[in-house]
Amino acid sequence: MAGNRRTDEISGVDTTGHEWDGIEELDNPMPRWWLWVLYATILWSIAYWVVMPAWPLMTSYTKGVLGYSQRGEVLSDIAEVKASRAGQEAKILSSSLEEITKDPALNHFALAAGKAAFGDNCSGCHGSGAQGAKGYPNLNDDHWLWGGSLEEILFTINYGIRSTHDETRFNDMTAFLADEILEKQDISDVAEYVLSLSGTSTDSEAANRGEPIFVDNCVACHAEGGVGNREMGAPNLSDKLWLFGGDRKTVIQSISYGRKGVMPTWEARLDPVTVKSLSIYVHSLGGGE
Ligand code: HEC
Ligand code: HEC
């Protein structure tokens, strides 16, 4: 068949000599540009084998003269981030809480670290937005049981409240019914007095009977007028905010059995940088003093 090559009269190009049912094929050369691209890619691939990791071997691979690896690049990126973090962490460790909040970059870093640590360690009890729940205080408002300054918050987080730590904040409200200190009737009356402090009492006679009972039994911790005492972690009973609840039944329950809410100690579980960052984060939530 190759012997049938001839020159096509119309285009002036040679045919390949192939012929199917009278149809023939012109033998046009590859375009120049196409050939150059082909040669260039061949050269590129050879250069690539030499320079970059390319061929798999039995147990390893050819590393190439550059020795590049993506894994190595990620590792060096991580090391870089760690190094820059280590600088910030060392600064947090050596600065006072006050100094950290005055350094915008450091404060920013501490807030981010504190927010992350809060999600991991605290939101289970205090809620993801630190809004609190029954028995777990809201950390966004400016009502504090034990104190809302940076240092006081740091102390609370480190040592806890009624926790297992020797330094823990501690004060147990008496369980007035369970410990047989007050009769049921007295408790009912003093509860009515407590409700009257926030203007929610419906029985002023009972509240009047409750007042002297309050003075004798409760003022030592909750202070005169029930305004609360942070030295003792005793909540303000005269506002409308309640840790456990402000309906009559819940107030009677609080008085009868006490509450003894426990906030764990974090000193042994979290490193000092994290505790400091948490203090700054909690302080920033809106109620910091
Ligand atoms: C196991 C539940 C629990 C966890 C987890 C917990 N807390 Fe608490 N926290 C409490 C309770 C309960 C109180 C209130 C104790 C009381 O009745 O005085 C409290 C109180 C506090 C207070 C004092 C508030 C005030 O008004 O003085 C701060 C601050 C605080 N928590 C921060 C944190 C931070 C930060 C974390 C995470 C590291 C955390 N808590 C984790 C239960 C918890
Ligand atoms: C030894 C100190 C102490 C004495 C005395 C005391 N309390 Fe308390 N009280 C507390 C503390 C601390 C709390 C915080 C709750 C906890 O234990 O977690 C509290 C909580 C309460 C609460 C719950 C408040 C809330 O926000 O839900 C009520 C109500 C209350 N006390 C009423 C009384 C009354 C009434 C008396 C007197 C009959 C009294 N307390 C005596 C320390 C005391």
Side-chain angles (χ1 to χ4, degrees):
M1 297 243 279
N4 295 341
R5 285 177 73 107
R6 60 180 186 84
T7 303
D8 175 56
E9 302 91 58
I10 297 168
S11 60
V13 175
D14 285 351
T15 67
T16 59
H18 303 160
E19 187 239 305
W20 295 273
D21 295 340
I23 300 171
E24 290 174 295
E25 194 179 12
L26 295 182
D27 189 13
N28 274 318
M30 296 287 191
R32 261 303 136 82
W33 66 263
W34 193 93
L35 277 175
W36 283 120
V37 169
L38 177 67
Y39 298 146
T41 56
I42 291 169
L43 283 177
W44 173 262
S45 73
I46 292 168
Y48 197 92
W49 298 344
V50 173
V51 171
M52 301 294 275
W55 289 99
L57 305 174
M58 286 302 276
T59 55
S60 68
Y61 56 92
T62 58
K63 302 259 177 346
V65 290
L66 285 184
Y68 173 85
S69 106
Q70 277 187 337
R71 194 184 165 76
E73 190 150 284
V74 170
L75 286 178
S76 92
D77 280 355
I78 292 176
E80 211 169 280
V81 170
K82 269 198 183 145
S84 80
R85 235 188 241 167
Q88 301 275 48
E89 286 177 354
K91 242 169 145 186
I92 287 185
L93 200 57
S94 64
S95 310
S96 74
L97 292 168
E98 179 106 35
E99 284 163 356
I100 298 169
T101 56
K102 290 210 171 114
D103 176 336
L106 209 53
N107 193 45
H108 187 77
F109 182 85
L111 285 176
K115 185 171 186 185
F118 193 90
D120 290 345
N121 300 288
C122 323
S123 55
C125 286
H126 289 284
S128 53
Q131 74 280 11
K134 182 172 172 174
Y136 302 107
N138 180 344
L139 304 176
N140 294 308
D141 61 17
D142 43 14
H143 294 78
W144 295 92
L145 294 163
W146 295 91
S149 72
L150 284 164
E151 293 296 336
E152 286 163 325
I153 293 171
L154 181 85
F155 190 98
T156 302
I157 299 173
N158 261 332
Y159 304 125
I161 303 165
R162 302 177 191 93
S163 77
T164 50
H165 199 285
D166 289 344
E167 301 283 317
T168 183
R169 296 191 184 279
F170 188 86
N171 180 23
D172 267 351
M173 172 162 160
T174 322
F176 286 93
L177 183 70
D179 296 347
E180 298 181 11
I181 294 167
L182 294 177
E183 302 285 329
K184 274 201 161 152
Q185 183 58 50
D186 294 339
I187 289 177
S188 173
D189 289 346
V190 80
E192 203 59 43
Y193 175 73
V194 167
L195 294 178
S196 77
L197 296 174
S198 53
T200 51
S201 163
T202 48
D203 182 346
S204 59
E205 254 174 58
N208 285 338
R209 285 198 303 274
E211 183 167 6
I213 304 173
F214 191 87
V215 171
D216 288 349
N217 295 282
C218 320
V219 163
C221 288
H222 289 283
E224 226 169 283
V227 294
N229 181 352
R230 289 187 182 176
E231 300 283 305
M232 311 238 173
N236 184 346
L237 304 176
S238 67
D239 57 20
K240 288 201 168 67
L241 291 171
W242 299 92
L243 184 53
F244 296 95
D247 59 288
R248 200 162 188 285
K249 209 171 138 212
T250 310
V251 170
I252 288 178
Q253 177 81 13
S254 292
I255 302 169
S256 301
Y257 301 102
R259 291 293 187 173
K260 307 184 188 1
V262 171
M263 154 83 180
T265 160
W266 296 92
E267 193 211 20
R269 274 201 265 177
L270 300 175
D271 61 89
V273 172
T274 307
V275 173
K276 274 183 160 178
S277 303
L278 274 167
S279 309
I280 288 167
Y281 173 68
V282 169
H283 186 261
S284 78
L285 289 176
E289 295 173 342

